[in-house]
Amino acid sequence: MDVVFGFVGYDFAVVVTDCTAAQQIIVQSHDVDKTVELDATKVLAISGPRGDCVAYGEYLKANIRLYRLKYQHSLDTAACAHYARNELATALRSGPYQVNCLLAGYDEGIGPELYCMDYLATSHKVNTGGHGYGGMFCLSLFDKHWVPNMSRGQAMDLIDLCVGEVCERLVTAPKDYLVKIVDKNGVETIKYDANERLKLRK
């Protein structure tokens, strides 16, 4: 029942995840962060079983940090995406990670980027993407409402549309979300309460 989606704006990339951890019909928690900050300007949003999400996210974060300490050089967003995809492919025939990911990052001279990966180790650079049941409802909205070089205000409006659609269409729609915006200054985290936010828009 994960809700994970993201898109690229003018000088930033944004990923949105719900905060609910559920096992079939049992809700375990309402304050889960389904993202991993790989470094100061890169965020990985992960959808899937919590055990695989935590193990995969922490493994990537630790090894990307190790690379930076070893070589005194940080990987850019594309290199992080290739590394993340390679780890999924390596594990595919032994103990596969059942995770789907969105990697958002910002690099000087390149700008914001978003990579979409699935559990079969497919990876693509995209402008918009989504995973989980909630993410599926967002894809058609992206086709209609996403435009290149979106401003922060336009981005928040699009997030409102997506969350509103999820809340209307999904039977067990979560109400609490985390919005993470990545730009040249780092990662900004916004707590998003769907009940309050959507009430203000009406």
Side-chain angles (χ1 to χ4, degrees), residues 4-198:
V4 176
F5 62 90
F7 53 90
V8 175
Y10 172 65
D11 60 351
F12 63 92
V14 57
V15 291
V16 181
T17 61
D18 69 291
C19 298
T20 302
Q23 181 70 28
Q24 296 179 348
I25 62 171
I26 307 299
V27 175
Q28 298 166 324
S29 178
H30 288 289
D31 58 355
V32 175
D33 187 353
K34 297 182 180 179
T35 63
V36 177
E37 295 185 16
L38 300 177
D39 66 18
T41 57
K42 294 172 194 66
V43 171
L44 184 71
I46 312 175
S47 167
R50 289 308 302 156
D52 282 0
C53 291
V54 172
Y56 180 69
E58 290 183 351
Y59 179 80
L60 286 187
K61 182 177 181 178
N63 279 278
I64 289 171
R65 184 169 184 267
L66 177 62
Y67 181 94
R68 185 172 68 252
L69 293 172
K70 187 175 181 179
Y71 296 105
Q72 300 298 308
H73 174 73
S74 296
L75 294 173
D76 62 16
T77 306
C80 286
H82 291 312
Y83 174 65
R85 183 260 170 200
N86 185 65
E87 290 302 320
L88 288 172
T90 301
L92 191 58
R93 289 174 178 82
S94 53
Y97 295 108
Q98 299 293 321
V99 297
N100 300 305
C101 311
L102 288 177
L103 174 61
Y106 183 94
D107 299 301
E108 288 293 339
I110 299 175
E113 292 180 301
L114 182 69
Y115 288 84
C116 183
M117 289 169 273
D118 68 10
Y119 71 101
L120 294 174
T122 302
S123 177
H124 289 285
K125 182 180 178 182
V126 295
N127 292 318
T128 63
H131 290 302
Y133 287 115
M136 295 176 187
F137 294 115
C138 301
L139 298 180
S140 60
L141 290 172
F142 290 146
D143 288 340
K144 183 175 182 179
H145 297 285
W146 182 87
V147 294
N149 300 319
M150 295 184 76
S151 67
R152 294 287 184 101
Q154 289 175 309
M156 290 307 296
D157 287 341
L158 182 52
I159 291 170
D160 290 341
L161 284 174
C162 291
V163 173
E165 190 72 11
V166 170
C167 290
E168 182 177 347
R169 302 288 183 184
L170 197 61
V171 174
T172 57
K175 300 301 179 185
D176 296 313
Y177 298 82
L178 283 179
V179 178
K180 296 206 174 184
I181 301 173
V182 186
D183 60 15
K184 63 181 179 181
N185 298 317
V187 180
E188 177 186 357
T189 302
I190 301 172
K191 291 184 177 181
Y192 186 108
D193 186 324
N195 289 332
E196 294 297 325
R197 178 81 181 184
L198 298 177

